[in-house]
Amino acid sequence: EMLIDEEELDCTQEILHMLSDILKTLDDEQFFSLALTFLKKSLEESLLKTNYASALKIFQTAHYIRELCQKEQSWALNEIETFLIEVSGPDYIELLKEPLNEKETPHLKEIQEILLLLSPESIGTLAHMLVEIESSQTEEMLIEVITTLAQQDYRPIEPLLKDASDDLLLVLIGVLNRVSSESAHQLLFTLTRHRSEIVRKVVLRTLINKKIWNPESYFTMVEDESTSIRKTVLDYLGSKRCEDTERLFINYLQKGKLSNSESPHLLACFRTLGLCGSERSIPFLQELLFGGNVFVKLLGSPALHGAGIALSGLDKQEAWFILKKAAGSLYPGVRRSVREFLED
């Protein structure tokens, strides 16, 4: 059997050398296509026989041939790229499923080298294989492979996000965390509306740890059903002065979005406005304190209290002037709404 394997390897190597020669000296498209067909068959046989050295050699040479095509023979580039996509498909990866599911995989390193040479199109197949793996060592290897492939092209991850299990989504969030791309960040933001609270929490923490600043995308979580998520996103949006964030909160509060909300959440939004805002917020907050319903000014309300919180958070001279003016108002509800900020 070893002798047969060596003969097959020699035959495969001859074909690989011939492919290189065709690219360097000839333009024989028909033979090039036939040679690639033979290599696909050889690869299948190598994987079936667990001859990973031969399989790895085929992949390595295919990548080398693609480099030659890019430099010298553009006519063959489409064929070799199609070849690499086809051998990265489920039919070929499936041949590695059984050895990877074994408790001990003696060829794990060789298989990893093969997987790293797959097209990123294989990410979907590898991800679904990942959830069936029992060995932690093999699982770590597959996550590393998926991450490396995603750094080449993360787009095959997108179709997985719709129906993936929560456990797989947590892995994919970790993968996307290591991809530096604005579009990849937007994929993460799509998960901030996921049905699972743990997924939303993890993706929010991931985005914050990456220091991604996109107030409009975060703002969708301001009304999240989870108290801890609301607190986390409000804390982050209030972590620095930002005109975009300020505008979002002013519009949100002006439209009465919180008229039926609980007072603690209403006050938290006003607090965030004070931390992120500027002088542009003052007219809106001043109108809340001194305009409007007489009964509200007599009795007070969470919105009045919120206006006081926001003005104190702005920490601007004009804001303090308004707070002092409110403290001398004829209306007890207005006075009570600002009293705590002027006690010192």
Side-chain angles (χ1 to χ4, degrees):
E1 185 177 337
M2 287 181 61
L3 181 60
I4 293 173
D5 286 347
E6 287 177 5
E7 288 176 352
E8 288 178 352
L9 183 57
D10 289 342
C11 184
T12 300
Q13 286 177 336
E14 283 183 24
I15 295 293
L16 292 171
H17 289 314
M18 289 172 66
L19 281 171
S20 297
D21 290 339
I22 290 172
L23 291 172
K24 291 175 181 176
T25 60
L26 303 170
D27 285 335
D28 193 332
E29 296 185 35
Q30 184 177 5
F31 183 80
F32 188 79
S33 180
L34 288 171
L36 290 179
T37 300
F38 171 81
L39 283 183
K40 280 191 283 188
K41 185 64 176 175
S42 297
L43 177 61
E44 183 181 354
E45 291 176 357
S46 296
L47 294 174
L48 282 169
K49 295 179 179 180
T50 67
N51 187 352
Y52 301 120
S54 175
L56 180 59
K57 181 67 176 177
I58 291 172
F59 272 106
Q60 288 172 333
T61 308
H63 278 270
Y64 169 69
I65 290 170
R66 183 172 64 175
E67 288 179 17
L68 286 180
C69 292
Q70 290 171 336
K71 295 175 183 177
E72 300 175 20
Q73 299 288 359
S74 59
W75 61 265
L77 183 58
N78 184 59
E79 285 221 47
I80 190 64
E81 288 188 337
T82 300
F83 169 85
L84 286 169
I85 290 173
E86 288 178 356
V87 297
S88 298
D91 290 346
Y92 290 87
I93 296 176
E94 187 71 22
L95 300 177
L96 294 169
K97 187 174 181 178
E98 186 175 334
L100 286 176
N101 270 321
E102 294 174 358
K103 290 186 178 180
E104 293 186 6
T105 308
H107 301 288
L108 189 62
K109 187 64 180 176
E110 290 175 288
I111 293 175
Q112 181 178 10
E113 291 184 63
I114 291 170
L115 295 179
L116 287 169
L117 293 173
L118 296 178
S119 162
E121 297 291 332
S122 64
I123 287 175
T125 305
L126 294 174
H128 286 110
M129 183 185 292
L130 177 64
V131 298
E132 300 175 9
I133 296 297
E134 296 182 4
S135 164
S136 59
Q137 185 181 9
T138 303
E139 182 180 296
E140 288 174 13
M141 182 275 285
L142 281 175
I143 291 173
E144 188 62 37
V145 167
I146 291 170
T147 301
T148 301
L149 296 176
Q151 288 168 340
Q152 298 170 29
D153 184 358
Y154 67 87
R155 289 173 298 178
I157 290 178
E158 185 171 4
L160 301 174
L161 301 183
K162 184 178 180 181
D163 300 316
S165 66
D166 290 357
D167 288 340
L168 179 55
L169 279 176
L170 296 181
V171 171
L172 295 176
I173 290 170
V175 170
L176 289 170
N177 180 40
R178 294 168 63 178
V179 177
S180 299
S181 160
E182 178 64 29
S183 299
H185 299 161
Q186 289 306 314
L187 273 188
L188 287 171
F189 274 115
T190 65
L191 292 175
T192 61
R193 299 182 292 276
H194 193 268
R195 64 185 181 280
S196 165
E197 182 176 341
I198 186 63
V199 169
R200 299 197 307 277
K201 282 183 176 180
V202 170
V203 76
L204 175 59
R205 182 52 55 191
T206 298
L207 288 161
I208 290 174
N209 288 341
K210 284 174 73 68
K211 295 182 170 58
I212 306 301
W213 186 255
N214 189 331
E216 193 162 352
S217 294
Y218 285 112
F219 208 80
T220 61
M221 305 187 83
V222 164
E223 290 187 328
D224 194 280
E225 61 186 31
S226 164
T227 303
S228 65
I229 289 176
R230 291 199 305 269
K231 182 180 185 307
T232 300
V233 77
L234 288 174
D235 286 346
Y236 190 56
L237 289 174
S239 64
K240 64 180 179 181
R241 304 285 176 187
C242 173
E243 183 177 348
D244 291 337
T245 313
E246 178 183 34
R247 173 180 49 78
L248 287 166
F249 274 104
I250 291 175
N251 291 341
Y252 185 66
L253 295 168
Q254 280 179 330
K255 291 176 181 177
K257 292 288 287 184
L258 295 172
S259 57
N260 297 319
S261 296
E262 297 178 1
S263 294
H265 183 48
L266 172 64
L267 299 181
C269 286
F270 274 109
R271 184 176 294 107
T272 304
L273 175 59
L275 294 172
C276 73
S278 66
E279 293 88 348
R280 287 179 292 270
S281 298
I282 291 177
F284 164 62
L285 298 171
Q286 184 174 9
E287 177 62 23
L288 274 178
L289 278 175
F290 301 118
N293 191 301
V294 172
F295 291 104
V296 170
K297 289 189 287 186
L298 283 170
L299 301 175
S301 71
L304 281 183
H305 188 196
I309 291 173
L311 284 165
S312 67
L314 291 176
D315 199 21
K316 300 290 184 182
Q317 186 174 354
E318 185 181 356
W320 287 115
F321 175 79
I322 293 170
L323 287 170
K324 290 175 183 177
K325 181 181 175 182
S329 171
L330 295 174
Y331 297 101
V334 175
R335 294 198 302 272
R336 285 196 302 272
S337 69
V338 301
R339 185 181 300 157
E340 66 182 275
F341 310 111
L342 297 170
E343 288 177 350
D344 295 338

